[in-house]
Amino acid sequence: MPTLDLPLTVDRSAGEPLNVQLTGQLRAAMKEGRLAAGERLPSSRSLAGVLGVSRTVVTEAYEQLYAEGWLEGRHGSGTYVTEIAAAPPVRADLVPTALTPESWERPGRPGTLDLRPGVAWIGALDTPAWRRAWRLAATVAPAARPDPHGLPGLRALLADYVRRSRGVACAPERLLVTRGSTNGLDLLAATILKPGDRVGVEDPGYRKARSVLAARGADLVPCPVDEHGLIVDHLPDDLRLVYTTPSHQYPLGGVLPVPRRQALLAWARRTGTLIAEDDYDGEFRYDVAPLPALYGLDPDVVVYLGTTAKILTSDVGVGWLVARPDLVEAIARRRADLNDRTAVVPQEALRLLLERGDLERYVRRMRAEYARRRTVVAEALHGLRLRGDTAGLHLVVELPAGRTERVVREAAERGVLLDTLERHHTGTPAAFGLVIGYGSAANPTDLKTACTLVRTLITAP
Amino acid sequence: MPTLDLPLTVDRSAGEPLNVQLTGQLRAAMKEGRLAAGERLPSSRSLAGVLGVSRTVVTEAYEQLYAEGWLEGRHGSGTYVTEIAAAPPVRADLVPTALTPESWERPGRPGTLDLRPGVAWIGALDTPAWRRAWRLAATVAPAARPDPHGLPGLRALLADYVRRSRGVACAPERLLVTRGSTNGLDLLAATILKPGDRVGVEDPGYRKARSVLAARGADLVPCPVDEHGLIVDHLPDDLRLVYTTPSHQYPLGGVLPVPRRQALLAWARRTGTLIAEDDYDGEFRYDVAPLPALYGLDPDVVVYLGTTAKILTSDVGVGWLVARPDLVEAIARRRADLNDRTAVVPQEALRLLLERGDLERYVRRMRAEYARRRTVVAEALHGLRLRGDTAGLHLVVELPAGRTERVVREAAERGVLLDTLERHHTGTPAAFGLVIGYGSAANPTDLKTACTLVRTLITAP
């Protein structure tokens, strides 16, 4: 009869059942090699006697370890520790190291003034309406198999919203609920692209969209932009898809004029290219009413991407994609295949905010606040070369080449975080300056302080 | 002075401002070609007189259309419709047609009994606790720049949960909050894979994991499984990653024994391969306590993927990934780069469910219910060749080759939806039968009815 040279103990005052205690001690001993492979364990009767526990405690522990594969052999003819292979050391090169760390936007330290773009002002969030929406949304029974198109009620209300707010007239069948613009772009790419397909991207343009497309195997083709937006005449004829921001080019701020829109659509029809229109801040234009979306001019070649990231917060995680019905169906199937979905509670919360008119009230309040902020920024930076200041949540200050690095560094030393225009280019920058976001600042006063500092740094000799 | 041959009218009793009415009518006319390119518009004074409105109404409409690019020229020297390119017809081949439509699981019609796997039983969802969690979660102020790792409080509680429930001892720094297992796998793939990297997948195995990996450019290498799980001896040495389900192989149901686990880890260390462990239903085992996760044996080469999809619902959209800290950091950076995130309100709701012990109470209730259901299924199908019936939310009924198609069709005619084992293979099936999920049925009685029918169909001559 084998005996065990191991400090096995059971503690009746501990909350843990005795068999679980014993299982854990035996498992640890085998893991650490104190109980070696091939070693025979005492019979359950004998070990129970030694430990002063019922035999059931030991047989339950053995059964668990047997099920886990630590033990082998039948109880009648003896129980043995199984053969366990020795583990060589881990190779050092398992983890990639060169992973674009610069693209990770860390939150600023407390006390810093953040002028980087991409963040919506959330100070005016209608808290009672917001809470009410989530509270009611949580009372909806969860679905076992959620519809990859999104909640029918939300699709109908969003179709209505994009028509009223963005001139996108569409039946709910043309609208798929996403988690946001980049999720919509990702799903489109995963549906229509083959590896190596050439995809046009604006240069300078939205980096995360480029990352999303490249991560689906796209061969990115940088397409130059000017102060009006994408330069359509220079588009090559062999693209599968073009990603563009016609309402407010990111980051230069141009609003694509109708003749270029028409030329872009004619080119797309001639070459068989789809256009992904990212309308990320299309709700916000201050000099005139927001421009209707490109989609409205040709709903067959444009895929319209919208989001709540700029009108609520990026936290809500709900957006929409509008496209021709056959493409919407293909995307929904592909999405189910990839197990990608929009959670139902946030969808229901957004549905309630839309149904009650809370969302549009909030957009009106934001538009008024952004107009105020835009004036603050424009006044503080008056006389400098400003671009893209009639729409959106950011503008651009053009600077001579080689000038931005010092301004960014000196601003950071004084607690103001800035973003450069250079960073948004794919290769050698064609334009230089700062991209000033006016969503992150807590209030117009902070914004004025930060912009005044930036002006001082720029105009310093 | 040009005159307009257009039925322009304004309606003072309509809610819409007069300038908006006029803008819309002029835009529609230009879009439809009734106002042709190059045509000159009347002066604002003259049109105002014709319409009987103030001149401001017309100048505002002109300014809007000028900003949109429909009009050109200065108001002083005349206003013209811009040149607009004519659009050729849409090409027919823009939309892909061959897109795995069979993988789209449609919900069953009312009255059908759904025995397909992949759905958690949600009948026992603790509604007051669930609602309380979402209600309180909605009172948390949204973050402007959410942390790509997830909420710190949730990371700490999840680290504690995976240790207690799954034997995964980890510091919160090793845990990243995802939207679920496949989201974790997708982020891992997007971080470590280069196009064409060879990735091992279980065959038969989880189709959606294969789709996710292939969509990131992986070259999939099917790896055979037997009744114990992945066959480790047959793994090729040139893989970058292996995706596996050791706790309960999907769909065959094997529980990977410790010797194979050790051999798998030794192979991984020798070849420099990472292992993605999908612990999709690791909480559920009925004969003995759940097996500890593979991760616990070697936290440096295993990436552990967990989800709430099976313990709450797939709607919550929160899961977790546990890995070595350098890999977690690389994944978090990559995730920010792809604009991928887990919404904060669901994270906070899960944090509250964990903090109050509601989640674990719910898991215990589910485990009891699944054990009941497993017994119902096993009794109803007694005598047939069953596999994988000691764990999880599904089991397999083996059938002779060529037998399943008729059973599935006849069951569907009688309102019972079934899934086949064949469907989970990458190529020619090596095993044949049905994958019976016991999560979707509303109650054990329905389950028994459906299983009895299946038995009848299988044993019919």
Side-chain angles (χ1 to χ4, degrees), chain A residues 124 126 128-130 132-133 154 157-158 160-161 164-165 311-312 348-366:
Chain A
D126 182 1
W130 170 266
R132 182 177 53 231
L154 178 60
L157 282 171
L158 279 176
D160 198 42
Y161 172 73
R164 278 180 285 115
S165 65
I311 54 177
L312 287 171
E348 178 65 14
L350 179 59
R351 194 189 68 74
L352 289 160
L353 288 172
L354 275 164
E355 191 179 58
R356 301 177 56 109
D358 293 321
L359 185 78
E360 280 165 282
R361 263 191 292 280
Y362 187 51
V363 168
R364 281 196 297 274
R365 281 224 296 275
M366 291 187 98

Side-chain angles (χ1 to χ4, degrees), chain A residues 262, chain B residues 2-8 22-42 47 62 65 70-71 79-84:
Chain A
Q262 293 284 359
Chain B
T3 54
L4 274 187
D5 186 21
L6 283 177
L8 296 175
L22 184 58
T23 308
Q25 291 175 34
L26 286 169
R27 193 193 290 117
M30 289 183 285
K31 218 159 154 175
E32 293 156 18
R34 288 179 283 129
L35 251 178
E39 202 162 332
R40 186 175 178 190
L41 291 185
L47 185 56
Y62 280 13
L65 294 168
W70 288 104
L71 301 180
T79 303
Y80 296 85
V81 179
T82 47
E83 290 294 338
I84 288 171

Side-chain angles (χ1 to χ4, degrees), chain A residues 335-376:
Chain A
R335 179 182 215 192
D337 197 38
L338 294 173
N339 214 19
D340 182 281
R341 61 169 67 83
T342 310
V344 167
V345 174
Q347 287 190 63
E348 178 65 14
L350 179 59
R351 194 189 68 74
L352 289 160
L353 288 172
L354 275 164
E355 191 179 58
R356 301 177 56 109
D358 293 321
L359 185 78
E360 280 165 282
R361 263 191 292 280
Y362 187 51
V363 168
R364 281 196 297 274
R365 281 224 296 275
M366 291 187 98
R367 192 182 290 137
E369 172 73 12
Y370 285 135
R372 237 186 331 269
R373 290 175 174 227
R374 180 183 67 96
T375 306
V376 166

Side-chain angles (χ1 to χ4, degrees), chain B residues 303-424:
Chain B
V303 178
Y304 175 84
L305 304 169
T307 180
T308 54
K310 299 292 180 281
I311 54 177
L312 287 171
T313 79
S314 57
D315 270 9
V316 177
V318 182
W320 46 91
L321 174 153
V322 182
R324 29 201 278 210
D326 54 349
L327 193 49
V328 167
E329 287 313 296
I331 293 170
R333 283 201 302 271
R334 181 65 168 141
R335 178 182 218 193
D337 198 39
L338 293 173
N339 214 18
D340 183 281
R341 61 171 63 87
T342 311
V344 167
V345 174
Q347 287 191 64
E348 178 66 12
L350 178 59
R351 194 189 69 73
L352 289 160
L353 289 171
L354 276 164
E355 189 178 58
R356 302 178 55 112
D358 292 322
L359 185 78
E360 280 166 282
R361 264 191 292 280
Y362 186 53
V363 168
R364 283 196 296 275
R365 281 223 298 274
M366 291 188 98
R367 193 183 288 137
E369 171 73 12
Y370 285 136
R372 240 189 325 271
R373 289 174 174 228
R374 179 182 68 96
T375 307
V376 165
V377 176
E379 281 177 9
L381 303 177
H382 180 72
L384 302 175
R385 291 172 58 92
L386 304 186
R387 273 187 181 187
D389 60 340
T390 61
L393 290 67
H394 75 272
L395 52 73
V396 163
V397 186
E398 275 192 282
L399 293 175
R403 188 98 173 88
T404 50
E405 198 187 326
R406 204 203 70 195
V407 174
V408 169
R409 194 186 61 241
E410 291 181 356
E413 286 164 9
R414 289 163 179 79
V416 173
L417 302 179
L418 294 173
D419 186 27
T420 71
L421 191 49
E422 290 86 318
R423 195 177 68 84
H424 300 271

Side-chain angles (χ1 to χ4, degrees), chain A residues 372-447:
Chain A
R372 237 186 331 269
R373 290 175 174 227
R374 180 183 67 96
T375 306
V376 166
V377 176
E379 281 177 7
L381 302 177
H382 181 72
L384 301 174
R385 289 171 59 92
L386 304 185
R387 273 188 180 188
D389 61 339
T390 60
L393 290 68
H394 75 271
L395 54 73
V396 163
V397 186
E398 274 192 283
L399 294 176
R403 188 99 173 88
T404 49
E405 200 186 324
R406 205 202 71 195
V407 173
V408 169
R409 193 185 63 240
E410 292 180 354
E413 286 164 9
R414 290 162 178 77
V416 173
L417 302 178
L418 294 174
D419 186 27
T420 70
L421 190 50
E422 289 86 317
R423 195 176 70 81
H424 299 272
H425 287 77
T426 54
T428 312
F432 306 88
L434 304 173
V435 184
I436 307 262
Y438 38 94
S440 347
N443 53 61
T445 311
D446 279 5
L447 191 64

